[in-house]
Amino acid sequence: MKQQQWMVRPLVQALCTAGMAMMAGGVWASDAALLQEVEVVGANSENQNRADGNWTSSDSRAATKTTTPLNELAQSVSVVRQEQIEAQKPRTIAQALDYVPGAYSGLFGNAMRYDYVALRGFVDTSMANTVLDGMRLMSDAGSFSAFQVDPYFIERIDLVRGPISVLYGNAAPGGMVALMTKQPQMARHSEISVDVGTNNTRALGFDLAGGLSETLSYRLTGLGREADAMQDYSSEKRLAIMPQLLWKPSESTALLLQAYVQNDPEGGYHSGTPYEGAVTTHAGRKVSREFFDGEPNLDEFDREQRMLGYQFAHRFNPAWEVRQNLRHTSSDYASKQVYQSGWANETELSRGYSFSEEELSGLAVDTRVQGTVATGALIHDIVFGIDYQDRENTGFWGWGSVAGIDAFAPQYGNTELSDIGQSNWVREFRQIGYYVQDQISLGAWRFTGGIRYDRAKTSSLDTDTQVKTEWDGGETSRRFGALYVFDSGLAPYVSYSESFDPSSNVDAAGQVLQPSRGTQWEAGVKYQPNASTLLTAAYYDLQQKDVARMVPGEGYFESVGTVKSRGIELEGHLAFAQKFNLQAAYTYSDMKIQNGAAEAEGKRPRQSPEQMASAWLNYTPVTGARIGAGVRYIGKSYADLANTMAVPSATLFDLSASVDLGIWMSQMKGASLQVSANNLFDKDYVAACYDENYCYFGNERSVMTSLKYAW
């Protein structure tokens, strides 16, 4: 019976041809006047940079898999646009979310290898809750094989908060980070940019786009960057390129071919410091944030990522269309690392050694039909589809010991290894989901309802012992919401949603973990009186069952129990006094662990600040010039289950200024200069602690000068 359920390859082939079959024979009743014009594939007016510093967006393309106005969505969604990314110069997607509510990117301090983002306080799968152009990146959250896309390639980020399994299948309860890449366009665009900054940062990027014929357009984007990390003996290097070709033979059909290749031969620093020594003193002293606990001649990191796929869309008539997205992903990962494992005495840290190699291959296919129909006074925007996800990750994890190191006067060169061991494994994940969603308009009312059924299978095979454990089952996810839009732009709403997240991770006994499940109620209000102003307030009550987290230094996970999270999120975008634009956010979350370890009962999970706040103000004194300043507040969190070890709050300041040189000198037309600074006053702080032995310093001050020429 199970074999019949998992004859998946033929099913994938059927999914890939489903769109063509529907084009040949599909006929639906529709009313052409009911369809709002939507771009099949490609750019729209929001792609054009605004000179006024207003970063307000009008819609979301990810929350419902349709283009829906933000003021008509019965859930919390924030959008980070390309202009904001370029102005604030984040080095990772996670950092690009520093000025939106409900997201925390400092889980592992200044580590840059992964896009760790905790949404509404939920840390598990924080590096695997990302969607790229409508499909999951197929990261394996319990391993080192998690995909990372550089912000330079991104046009916009939709942060969708709350459970979203009804449309995307496996998902963490806090929400998802939906990325949209820069895509081909007929209008010619050419730019080259050079960045130079602190820590020997050097980067060169190019972005070329335009039409090749009446039906073909392209985009070619590339980046090379290297920099020293904050810690000694650590550096980061990246080479990435993304070619794309869009074929649009008619106004109703489009095919976009995409590829993305990225090589990271150096991954920077990725370790921590004990709570005593980082937050408080150890033997009367604190460890420097530049301290490197590894060995320069032993530590290595190399990651290669490849993605190849397409997006296809065909409009049958003004009311109905079919879309299919497919992407194959693969990665190779190898690392060796010496890391501290706690204090041995007043000055020396014990150290361990880890080494690993992984090869991941994944496939994602999403086929859906969407359209508009009217039933009496009701207007229905309907989406129904099938998506399939398949991932296999093969590799080994090794471990050992290395001589300790003096944390206050380090001497390197102790490279003799002992107690070497290794575990070889294969981790697999497969999921097929069937979903339907209906967005209903009735006068000023907006109703959203959706249901999905997933069949999933996860497994973990120890190739040394040939012992295989697995989980195989099905799950139904639901979502519904109601919103009323007043003529004034005020829109109160209420919604309910569910999440389902199967895992290939194992516990101490080698058994695959049970899937985690989440449920959420949310109520809020949005106010959008004009295109430049959007104010939102939301209250949510969210619960996740069967939460687990990795045990440091081990290859298995331990149960956390059930985590309940209730909170308030506020966000505002507004323009005033003609030349000023303000973006502000506030987050408060009340989180508690239930049915976990005795000392954790009723306590707050680690790595989850209770409060966060931010504000960014843009001032445009003249057209073509902008000055921006921001402040970020990170509230108190905890390093231990009993909540006796507090991680203090921190307040950080950022700055950005840019000028179009062409407005001052005509011969410099197309050239622009920008200076960006993060943590302007060089605050020395701890961003979060995984536990008592692993706390992570936040980023030091970084200053970047960028020169861009566009033609």
Side-chain angles (χ1 to χ4, degrees), residues 436-600:
V436 61
Q437 174 187 266
D438 189 5
Q439 295 174 266
I440 303 172
S441 298
L442 176 61
W445 285 99
R446 302 291 184 268
F447 301 99
T448 302
I451 188 169
R452 176 187 177 107
Y453 177 75
D454 280 299
R455 188 72 191 181
K457 180 177 181 179
T458 65
S459 66
S460 179
L461 170 66
D462 186 325
T463 56
D464 296 320
T465 63
Q466 292 301 308
V467 173
K468 184 177 184 179
T469 63
E470 62 183 33
W471 180 89
D472 186 349
E475 184 74 8
T476 300
S477 303
R478 290 162 287 264
R479 175 173 71 170
F480 62 82
L483 176 145
Y484 188 87
V485 184
F486 288 94
D487 292 339
S488 63
L490 194 68
Y493 70 89
V494 63
S495 63
Y496 171 81
S497 54
E498 299 174 341
S499 69
F500 166 63
D501 194 9
S503 172
S504 298
N505 301 327
V506 299
D507 59 20
Q511 298 297 308
V512 171
L513 301 176
Q514 289 293 309
S516 67
R517 295 170 172 84
T519 57
Q520 175 187 273
W521 284 96
E522 179 175 317
V525 61
K526 304 182 180 185
Y527 179 58
Q528 190 170 27
N530 54 62
S532 299
T533 302
L534 177 60
L535 307 176
T536 65
Y539 170 81
Y540 64 87
D541 191 328
L542 176 56
Q543 175 178 281
Q544 183 186 18
K545 297 181 179 180
D546 296 313
V547 182
R549 72 196 309 264
M550 178 176 280
V551 178
E554 305 291 344
Y556 62 83
F557 286 64
E558 63 181 359
S559 173
V560 174
T562 296
V563 175
K564 285 193 172 185
S565 176
R566 295 179 297 176
I568 297 172
E569 294 168 348
L570 308 176
E571 184 174 20
H573 292 256
L574 65 155
F576 57 94
Q578 295 184 336
K579 297 182 178 182
F580 291 90
N581 288 277
L582 176 67
Q583 174 179 334
Y586 172 75
T587 302
Y588 169 78
S589 66
D590 178 17
M591 302 187 72
K592 293 182 180 179
I593 298 173
Q594 297 181 344
N595 305 319
E599 68 271 26

Side-chain angles (χ1 to χ4, degrees), residues 18-34:
M20 303 303 175
M22 285 184 282
M23 274 196 296
V27 178
W28 293 272
S30 63
D31 185 340
L34 301 179

